[in-house]
Amino acid sequence: LPAEAQLRRLCCARVSGMASAIELFEVAPLNAAPAWRDQREKYEAALALFEQDRAAEAIAACETLGARFGAGDAPTQLLLAHARARVDNPSAEFDATFNLETK
């Protein structure tokens, strides 16, 4: 990647066919708008809340992201779904790693 490449950390994931979990990142266009950087910062903050097992706060952060940047961001929607599942089943053992069935 070029040194000036901008990345958004999406999650830690177990991917089908791989032995261990990996960090997934989105690479932004080299001319990414300031709004993309703002969205990245807010998404990564929501992800950090989820990873700290603060699912209700992660839901609120994701909903704020959707209201501000639109509901079409797939990573935000996936994070929101994981956070809602955690709130719906708080007694389950917590694992912040996403399980992805396809690459």
Side-chain angles (χ1 to χ4, degrees):
L1 290 175
E4 65 274 11
Q6 297 183 62
L7 304 174
R8 172 170 65 157
R9 182 173 170 265
L10 300 177
C11 65
C12 182
R14 285 182 204 90
V15 180
S16 177
M18 297 187 77
S20 59
I22 59 169
E23 295 289 332
L24 297 180
F25 292 86
E26 172 186 21
V27 180
L30 291 178
N31 59 351
W36 185 90
R37 291 189 292 276
D38 187 33
Q39 183 178 15
R40 173 192 61 199
E41 290 170 12
K42 288 178 176 29
Y43 173 86
E44 289 179 351
L47 178 62
L49 289 168
F50 176 76
E51 291 175 334
Q52 296 165 20
D53 200 11
R54 296 165 58 189
E57 293 170 81
I59 290 170
C62 287
E63 289 172 344
T64 299
L65 268 165
R68 182 160 181 192
F69 299 103
D73 184 55
T76 299
Q77 293 306 311
L78 182 61
L79 176 56
L80 182 57
H82 277 81
R84 285 181 174 153
R86 178 65 179 157
V87 166
D88 290 345
N89 193 5
S91 62
E93 183 177 337
F94 180 67
D95 182 3
T97 303
F98 292 15
N99 291 309
L100 302 178
E101 299 301 319
T102 59
K103 293 181 193 175

